[in-house]
Amino acid sequence: MSDLCCGGDGAPEPRRGRPTPNLTPAPASRAPASVTCSCCSGGDARGRPRPVTADSASDGGHAGAGETADADGCGDPTCGAGAPEPEENPGAWWNSATVRWAGLAGVLWLSGLVGEWLAPVPVLATVLFAGAIAAGGWTFVPGTLRALVRGRLGVGTLMTVAMAGAVLLGEVGEAAMLAFLFSLAEALEDHAVARTRHGLRALLDLVPPRATVLREGRETTVDPAELDVGDLLLVRPGERIATDGVVRAGRSTVDTSTVTGESVPVEAVEGTGVFAGTVNGGGALEVEASARVADNSLSRVVHIVEREQARRGAAQRLAARIARPLVPGILVAAALIAVAGSLFGDPGVWVERALVVLVAASPCAFAIAVPVTVVAAIGSASRSGVLVKGGAALESFGTVRVVALDKTGTLTRNAPAVVAVAPAHGRTREEVLALAAALEARSEHPLAAAILASHPDPAPARDVAAVAGNGLTGTSADGTPLRLGRPGYIDPGPLAPEVARLQEQGATTVLVEADGRLVGAVAIRDELRGEAAEAVAALHRMGVRTVMLTGDNERTARALAARVGIDEVHADLRPEDKSALVSALRRHGPVAMVGDGVNDAPALATADTGVAMGAMGTDVAIETADVALMGEDLRALPRALAHARRARRIMLQSLLLSGAILLVLIPLSAFGVLGLAAVILTHELAEVLVIANGVRAGRRAPVTVSPSASSDADAARTPEHT
């Protein structure tokens, strides 16, 4: 429903909320029973928006042939309409009852015009016009009357009054034209919204209709809805994976393009996590289910998008603030025109002008300009592996002029490896690694995994303790005191030139000490994403300023930044430091912070737009960020930004067009320059143009990003770790 039908704003909207509501994933087998509505549903006892179901939204849901998406106003597709069932095909416009009623009204109206011209007796034309009024009015008059009973006024109210007034004045043909054109515009709006929603819901159709489960050594075919956590699935070559899981046996490649937007298949071996809806390649896999179908990644994405579509951005709130008081104001102005004109002139002329003003001032196109664009743009983004959390996030992202990027896991692959070992005089490479591995044996730090990969199965040190921000201490198996940590915590001594050289090459260096004597240095680098430089270059071509924020040392950070083309670097940062820097950057324009959605949570929350990288299957990342890139390809970032910018331009175009038409039509109709027929035609044409313009946001904006960084090329590159 449109904000026009609402008695209030619903739940208050902060500048940039980061809600973490209870997540109740929708069953994959059908659309959810409700969609959270922030503008029409009021709220519960705690002020949270209530869900509006297809049953409860009797003034706006698709509950029957006699109702449009918003019977008493112009439909806001982010609010109040139940999602279509997956089996419906919104591409077949004739399946819509609203379209059929509008078509019948059009046929009857045109037949009435022909009858009026041919028949000497006007009775036939009058009957046909009456039929057109009944058919067209059936799509919005019942809902309008129900809304009036509840004290709500909407655009449907204006159209009903104008249609009834035209009939009373004997202008039955013009009333029939109004009924036809308004019902047609509403039908087109319903169809456009249904198509964009169907694109999102079609993600759930990626789950195969049947799944093969291995139980007691036997293959059993079951409905995916019957799968439980721990079930072992057999996925043959070419089959879709029914739910999220972990590969327990087999080796293959998995095409994730339909879910993450990445075009290059990823390798799947034992221990690899896989997602629902992805396609198995050339080898058979045994996958242990880690989620039920109703709780898997696809269901979560669809549920979150449909829930967050109700979050309204600045443009949508502005349109609501202007449009909401406009309807009662129009009714008062029309009444004054009719009364005052009748006192000083011909009552018939001025009553007719008042009716024309009612139609001319209807803010239907203005009210739907932003919602139609939001639904189209968000649905399109989700199908390309980008999750946008509602209209507020889309608008905010479209204004971004500064992008702050975390280093680890964003510009790099978060897969550190040992690249060099520098032993002190009299020590060996193996001795340095053995002592370092002894201290890191039970550590969960990413650097520990790199050291243990170079020296597996060490003899663990005893009494290991972490020294916050510096390193580790402990005792070797033979009782020798050990220390491991960054330069500064441990003096590099004669290895200082070598440590500096390794840091300048982008490596993180740790020093190892035994019994107070330096043993050696271990250099670790995190592999730079092969596409990182291309993504940064694409952002620069879009006029975006890029900044690196990292907790790593200055030398390492600047070495990596130089390779990807980032000039501004802030290093040695704690999480709270990143948040403070983002606040400072906002003085230069809207800022997007790109991180992993967990460690960078303060900075993500501070930025105008928080972007989580590689969020597929990560609840925290999806919930905390405004925008989540489901895949691991950083080139999705400039593409998503270009898409948001284009959607924002389309919103502004539609708002300006709608506002300009209102400013022109109202005075012309009030002074009698335009008649009812001309105003109706102009008004409904404007609505059709706004809907068509908004649907354009469903097409993705082209961005020039070099395709040279394929996964094969990445694998062939020299690892770039920081």
Side-chain angles (χ1 to χ4, degrees):
M1 287 178 292
S2 169
D3 292 310
L4 300 176
C5 70
C6 302
D9 288 327
E13 180 122 15
R15 178 186 67 82
R16 262 184 28 74
R18 289 286 194 281
T20 310
N22 294 330
L23 186 61
T24 308
S29 57
R30 67 179 303 273
S34 65
V35 178
T36 299
C37 172
S38 68
C39 61
C40 297
S41 58
D44 61 14
R46 298 174 61 184
R48 297 172 299 191
R50 290 194 304 264
V52 176
T53 66
D55 295 329
S56 64
S58 58
D59 61 326
H62 297 273
E67 300 178 32
T68 64
D70 178 15
D72 62 330
C74 299
D76 179 342
T78 66
C79 184
E85 296 291 337
E87 65 269 18
E88 292 180 358
N89 178 15
W93 56 269
W94 56 85
N95 287 340
S96 167
T98 308
V99 171
R100 291 196 294 269
W101 282 107
L104 176 60
V107 170
L108 291 172
W109 172 61
L110 291 173
S111 300
L113 291 178
V114 173
E116 194 175 44
W117 179 57
L118 294 177
V121 181
V123 175
L124 176 62
T126 302
V127 171
L128 291 171
F129 286 146
I133 293 170
W138 178 246
T139 66
F140 63 93
V141 172
T144 295
L145 297 178
R146 282 192 297 272
L148 283 174
V149 171
R150 292 193 298 274
R152 287 181 175 178
L153 300 176
V155 175
T157 310
L158 302 181
M159 294 300 180
T160 301
V161 171
M163 188 171 65
V167 171
L168 292 175
L169 291 174
E171 301 292 344
V172 183
E174 291 191 345
M177 180 177 66
L178 188 154
F180 161 58
L181 290 177
F182 186 64
S183 62
L184 178 63
E186 292 290 280
L188 290 174
E189 180 190 333
D190 285 353
H191 182 62
V193 172
R195 285 190 62 185
T196 54
R197 282 199 183 278
H198 180 79
L200 175 62
R201 302 294 305 177
L203 285 175
L204 296 183
D205 294 338
L206 296 177
V207 175
R210 307 293 291 174
T212 303
V213 183
L214 295 175
R215 290 174 178 165
E216 299 180 355
R218 300 176 59 186
E219 296 180 13
T220 306
T221 302
V222 299
D223 186 316
E226 299 174 11
L227 294 174
D228 210 342
V229 175
D231 280 346
L232 192 63
L233 309 179
L234 174 62
V235 186
R236 297 183 176 86
E239 291 184 345
R240 289 191 182 275
I241 299 172
T243 192
D244 298 347
V246 179
V247 176
R248 293 307 181 200
R251 187 184 188 93
S252 184
T253 57
V254 176
D255 180 0
T256 65
S257 58
T258 53
V259 177
T260 66
E262 296 181 354
S263 58
V264 179
V266 297
E267 186 176 11
V269 296
E270 185 176 351
T272 302
V274 292
F275 300 116
T278 54
V279 181
N280 185 23
L285 296 175
E286 292 183 11
V287 177
E288 181 182 345
S290 59
R292 299 178 67 250
V293 171
D295 304 328
N296 66 30
S297 50
L298 285 180
S299 295
R300 285 199 304 270
V301 167
V302 171
H303 176 74
I304 289 170
V305 170
E306 290 186 331
R307 183 190 68 207
E308 296 293 341
Q309 279 175 338
R311 287 177 60 193
R312 296 175 292 164
Q316 194 169 355
R317 292 195 301 270
L318 174 63
R321 283 197 297 269
I322 293 173
R324 186 175 294 110
L326 200 55
V327 173
I330 292 166
L331 289 171
V332 172
L336 290 175
I337 290 172
V339 173
S342 298
L343 291 176
F344 299 102
D346 183 357
V349 171
W350 285 100
V351 169
E352 184 175 354
R353 286 188 185 180
L355 295 176
V356 175
V357 169
L358 284 179
V359 177
S362 298
C364 202
F366 194 77
I368 66 172
V370 176
V372 169
T373 306
V374 166
V375 172
I378 290 177
S380 173
S382 66
R383 294 192 298 274
S384 60
V386 179
L387 178 63
V388 182
K389 303 282 285 295
L394 183 70
E395 286 186 47
S396 175
F397 196 29
T399 65
V400 163
R401 292 295 177 268
V402 181
V403 172
L405 298 115
D406 178 47
K407 176 182 70 67
T408 304
T410 302
L411 293 169
T412 67
R413 296 191 180 281
N414 199 21
V418 173
V419 294
V421 178
H425 180 70
R427 301 285 190 171
T428 65
R429 181 181 189 278
E430 289 70 23
E431 188 178 0
V432 175
L433 287 174
L435 293 177
L439 285 169
E440 297 280 20
R442 294 185 174 88
S443 174
E444 297 297 327
H445 195 278
L447 297 185
I451 291 172
L452 292 171
S454 295
H455 190 89
D457 302 321
R462 303 192 306 268
D463 304 322
V464 176
V467 181
N470 289 304
L472 299 171
T473 62
T475 306
S476 68
D478 61 5
T480 303
L482 304 176
R483 284 202 305 165
L484 178 147
R486 63 181 181 83
Y489 174 58
I490 297 176
D491 184 5
L495 294 180
E498 180 66 9
V499 168
R501 184 184 68 83
L502 292 169
Q503 288 180 335
E504 288 171 357
Q505 292 177 353
T508 298
T509 306
V510 295
L511 300 169
V512 182
E513 186 182 81
D515 200 18
R517 294 183 177 85
L518 184 67
V519 176
V522 181
I524 301 168
R525 286 196 305 221
D526 188 6
E527 183 182 358
L528 179 70
R529 293 183 185 274
E531 76 280 1
E534 296 164 18
V536 170
L539 290 172
H540 289 167
R541 285 193 295 271
M542 296 168 65
V544 175
R545 172 186 171 194
T546 56
V547 182
M548 179 194 290
L549 306 181
T550 178
D552 213 337
N553 67 80
E554 184 83 13
R555 285 180 176 174
T556 299
R558 290 200 175 278
L560 184 142
R563 298 188 68 86
V564 298
I566 297 176
D567 296 324
E568 186 173 348
V569 178
H570 299 274
D572 295 310
L573 300 177
R574 294 171 297 177
E576 57 269 30
D577 298 329
K578 292 182 181 181
S579 178
L581 270 168
V582 168
S583 295
L585 289 171
R586 290 181 62 199
R587 292 196 292 268
H588 303 285
V591 176
M593 173 67 196
V594 187
D596 61 12
V598 181
N599 297 329
D600 300 304
L604 287 169
T606 303
D608 294 277
T609 305
V611 182
M613 180 76 186
M616 190 64 185
T618 307
D619 290 342
V620 175
I622 293 177
E623 288 289 346
T624 57
D626 295 300
V627 177
L629 307 181
M630 311 310 287
E632 297 286 345
D633 191 337
L634 193 58
R635 288 171 293 187
L637 177 63
R639 294 190 187 109
L641 179 57
H643 183 66
R645 285 184 173 183
R646 182 170 181 269
R648 185 170 177 272
R649 286 195 300 270
I650 289 173
M651 288 181 200
L652 296 178
Q653 290 167 5
S654 296
L655 287 173
L656 290 174
L657 173 63
S658 306
I661 288 174
L662 286 177
L663 292 176
V664 171
L665 285 185
I666 293 174
L668 291 180
S669 59
F671 289 104
V673 177
L674 294 177
L676 185 59
V679 168
I680 292 172
L681 189 60
T682 304
H683 185 276
E684 302 308 332
L685 179 61
E687 187 175 346
V688 171
L689 288 176
V690 165
I691 293 171
N693 194 43
V695 170
R696 286 196 309 121
R699 296 200 297 269
R700 294 156 204 165
V703 180
T704 305
V705 180
S706 171
S708 60
S710 66
S711 290
D712 293 338
D714 293 347
R717 291 178 183 234
T718 301
E720 299 293 342
H721 306 272
T722 55

